[in-house]
Amino acid sequence: MGKRKSIFMTTSQNQTEVILIGAGIMSATLGSFLKELDPSWRIKVFEKLGKAGEESSNEWNNAGTGHSALCELNYTAEKTDGSLDISKAIKINEQFQLSRQFWSYLVKSNCIQNPEDFIRSIPHMSLVQGEHDVEFLKKRFEALVDHPMFQGMEFSDDPETLKAWLPLVMEGRTSNEPIAATKIDSGTDVNFGALTRMLFEHLESVGAEVNYNHCVEDIKRTDDGSWELKVRDLGSNVVANHTAKFVFIGGGGGSLPLLQKTGIPESKHIGGFPVSGLFLVCNNQDVVAQHHAKVYGKAKVGAPPMSVPHLDTRYIDNKTTLLFGPFAGFSPKFLKSGSNLDLIGSVKPNNVVTMLAAGMKEMALTKYLIQQLLLSDEERMEELREFIPSAKSEDWDTVVAGQRVQVIKDTEDGRGTLQFGTEVVSAADGTIAALLGASPGASTAVHVMLEVLAKCFPQHMAEWEAKLKDMIPSYGLSLVNNPKLYQEIQTDTARTLGLIEERSALREDGPVFTEKEAVYS
């Protein structure tokens, strides 16, 4: 890839150390890290919309936030021999603990206040029906319950116990089909929209320049190895050049088109498949008050991981809400506020074969999306009634969720493989990085941004190590192999984030704490 002189017609030239594209949770997390690690670095942020956290990070654009694998059944895959692979669940849980540690550090350092405004304690449950799935859930419980990260998990297939755990779900249930659930009280609900706004308020207070209503239209490399961005002020329509030594593209679904503009070799042979979503939200507070948990079910046979149904208590806009979904849809837009030309515009000579191969391989996904698009409102309600038999249509409204762009790339499994996850793509020299993909996304933002730091700033990692350990006590260590450290961190972060009332007792294998029942207005 050749370097070039400026080709943009602009009114001004601005140089800085770091540019972050997109004011979502990923940019907020990376910016917060960098300001703590080197406060002297100048940071600029460009966001197309009018405020932070309005796209993928927004609380209304996602439902099951707080992913820690306590209840998500797709993170414990069943092998062909019937045994379970729990490695992904353990990995995601450990990654979420990194987020809790960093958030706790920010609270202790007064970088952000009032943690109850973005995180609440809430039980996490898995719910299944049918003899085969009940057996699966029991095996999952037995595989996880003795692991330090999943201690406290309970299993029951007793209808009376389930009525106590899930009164709304069990009310009016007449089927004799076996039903079972697991419950763990140490789960959380995280409002990533609120957290993103808090982090950007802090970043601005310590000198970061955050520019809303500014759209990055192009990215090129200059002769000195810096990156030059063409940025349009959508208010004045003025275009300006901004250059930086390091650029992070954290624009959600909009990251792929910008990554392609960089021309770096790592951007080749990558495509994106946009998926939209719908959720049902309960408008009857009497119904909302009868449910207090995040409850995940099992995806239907042949359905993709993104289709896992869940019934979630959420805390949004200072009140308790109840959401059910997701129902998948299709839009060619890469962002909720994007263009219908996004998908076709992302097809390039270097990825067209990859995209076509994905189309051939993912016929089942295409069929699933078509079926979801054809669902009527009443058919969506029928799916909800598998969770809440007594659900009434007039108590539920439909909410359009955010866009997700699944990564398509060539892998060992062949060309055009659809990736269900989050992925960092960075230049070999570490001067630019982009975040692509979807779930578990925000819940593992701290882990992902630590990966960005290691990839893009290897020359600084030794000098930053002490500060990183200050911010994240388990940095460089395995919580899986240090159960005592895990217990200490879990207790400390729960206390700092307001998730426990008090330690009630001590036992030989560590402290016991009672997760605080979230008090919702």
Side-chain angles (χ1 to χ4, degrees), residues 328-507:
F330 175 77
S331 165
K333 295 181 179 182
F334 276 10
L335 291 166
K336 198 171 180 179
S337 60
S339 164
N340 286 322
L341 298 176
D342 286 344
L343 176 57
I344 192 66
S346 73
V347 180
K348 308 294 183 185
N350 68 72
N351 72 0
V352 64
V353 174
T354 300
M355 297 284 283
L356 289 173
M360 295 295 293
K361 291 170 66 173
E362 298 296 340
M363 296 303 295
L365 174 59
T366 302
K367 180 180 178 182
Y368 167 75
L369 291 176
I370 292 172
Q371 290 172 337
Q372 289 281 290
L373 283 168
L374 295 176
L375 288 177
S376 66
D377 290 343
E378 185 55 32
E379 285 171 327
R380 293 191 189 98
M381 286 300 302
E382 284 303 314
E383 292 202 19
L384 170 61
R385 290 184 184 112
E386 292 183 17
F387 273 69
I388 306 176
S390 61
K392 299 177 181 178
S393 299
E394 60 265 28
D395 291 338
W396 296 81
D397 300 316
T398 301
V399 172
V400 179
Q403 288 288 107
R404 300 290 184 268
V405 178
Q406 308 290 343
V407 176
I408 299 172
K409 68 177 187 177
D410 301 334
T411 69
E412 293 178 356
D413 295 326
R415 281 193 161 180
T417 303
L418 193 64
Q419 306 291 104
F420 295 99
T422 304
E423 186 165 342
V424 175
V425 178
S426 59
D429 65 359
T431 57
I432 194 163
L435 185 82
L436 307 176
S439 183
S443 296
T444 59
V446 170
H447 164 78
V448 175
M449 291 305 104
L450 286 172
E451 181 183 341
V452 170
L453 291 177
K455 281 187 173 183
C456 299
F457 301 97
Q459 71 275 25
H460 294 287
M461 295 307 286
E463 64 183 276
W464 287 349
E465 184 175 359
K467 183 64 176 179
L468 286 168
K469 287 183 176 179
D470 182 35
M471 293 188 283
I472 301 173
S474 72
Y475 176 76
L477 301 172
S478 168
L479 289 176
V480 176
N481 298 326
N482 291 273
K484 184 177 180 182
L485 176 62
Y486 170 80
Q487 186 71 47
E488 291 171 355
I489 286 172
Q490 182 81 347
T491 304
D492 181 66
T493 59
R495 184 183 297 110
T496 302
L497 296 172
L499 303 176
I500 58 174
E501 290 178 330
E502 62 183 56
R503 283 184 295 174
S504 56
L506 290 175
R507 64 185 184 197

Side-chain angles (χ1 to χ4, degrees), residues 82-380:
S83 63
L84 295 186
D85 181 358
I86 64 172
S87 59
K88 187 173 183 179
I90 292 169
K91 181 174 74 171
I92 289 174
N93 190 298
E94 183 169 27
Q95 291 174 358
F96 185 68
Q97 302 312 316
L98 298 177
S99 294
R100 281 178 59 140
Q101 291 173 71
F102 185 54
W103 301 336
S104 297
Y105 166 82
L106 294 173
V107 171
K108 290 177 180 178
S109 303
N110 291 316
C111 297
I112 58 175
Q113 289 81 38
N114 305 319
E116 68 275 9
D117 289 344
F118 77 88
I119 188 168
R120 298 272 179 149
S121 177
I122 192 84
H124 282 203
M125 301 189 195
S126 303
L127 178 72
V128 298
Q129 300 179 65
E131 188 174 341
H132 178 269
D133 286 347
V134 168
E135 183 61 29
F136 164 82
L137 187 63
K138 189 172 184 180
K139 284 195 296 185
R140 181 181 187 272
F141 166 74
E142 291 170 347
L144 292 174
V145 67
D146 291 329
H147 194 282
M149 292 181 174
F150 297 86
Q151 283 186 0
M153 181 179 283
E154 301 174 72
F155 170 88
S156 181
D157 55 6
D158 172 53
E160 293 305 313
T161 300
L162 297 179
K163 286 179 183 178
W165 288 0
L166 296 161
L168 185 63
V169 170
M170 296 302 291
E171 180 186 354
R173 191 171 291 277
T174 57
S175 172
N176 293 323
E177 189 176 35
I179 185 170
T182 57
K183 179 171 78 79
I184 186 165
D185 291 329
S186 57
T188 54
D189 172 60
V190 184
N191 184 328
F192 282 103
L195 176 59
T196 299
R197 293 187 288 272
M198 288 180 181
L199 291 175
F200 273 108
E201 287 176 10
H202 168 66
L203 281 172
E204 288 192 90
S205 74
V206 294
E209 179 187 314
V210 184
N211 300 278
Y212 297 110
N213 298 305
H214 280 67
C215 180
V216 177
E217 297 184 342
D218 208 348
I219 306 176
K220 303 293 181 200
R221 199 157 201 177
T222 61
D223 290 337
D224 66 357
S226 298
W227 290 96
E228 183 179 66
L229 280 63
K230 176 184 177 182
V231 183
R232 185 178 300 277
D233 182 333
L234 298 178
S236 65
N237 207 34
V238 172
V239 176
N241 272 359
H242 294 266
T243 62
K245 299 174 183 177
F246 171 76
V247 174
F248 173 69
I249 306 173
S255 292
L256 178 59
L258 288 174
L259 175 64
Q260 291 174 328
K261 291 178 184 294
T262 68
I264 61 174
E266 293 80 4
S267 70
K268 311 295 185 183
H269 309 290
I270 296 177
F273 185 78
V275 178
S276 61
L278 299 173
F279 285 93
L280 297 177
V281 57
C282 187
N283 59 43
N284 186 332
Q285 285 300 306
D286 290 337
V287 175
V288 173
Q290 297 176 55
H291 184 82
H292 183 69
K294 287 185 180 296
V295 183
Y296 273 59
K298 204 166 187 286
K300 294 180 180 178
V301 175
M306 68 182 76
S307 68
V308 174
H310 43 95
L311 179 68
D312 288 343
T313 297
R314 297 289 313 281
Y315 188 71
I316 300 175
D317 298 335
N318 295 317
K319 70 176 185 179
T320 314
T321 58
L322 186 58
L323 280 76
F324 175 78
F327 298 96
F330 175 77
S331 165
K333 295 181 179 182
F334 276 10
L335 291 166
K336 198 171 180 179
S337 60
S339 164
N340 286 322
L341 298 176
D342 286 344
L343 176 57
I344 192 66
S346 73
V347 180
K348 308 294 183 185
N350 68 72
N351 72 0
V352 64
V353 174
T354 300
M355 297 284 283
L356 289 173
M360 295 295 293
K361 291 170 66 173
E362 298 296 340
M363 296 303 295
L365 174 59
T366 302
K367 180 180 178 182
Y368 167 75
L369 291 176
I370 292 172
Q371 290 172 337
Q372 289 281 290
L373 283 168
L374 295 176
L375 288 177
S376 66
D377 290 343
E378 185 55 32
E379 285 171 327
R380 293 191 189 98

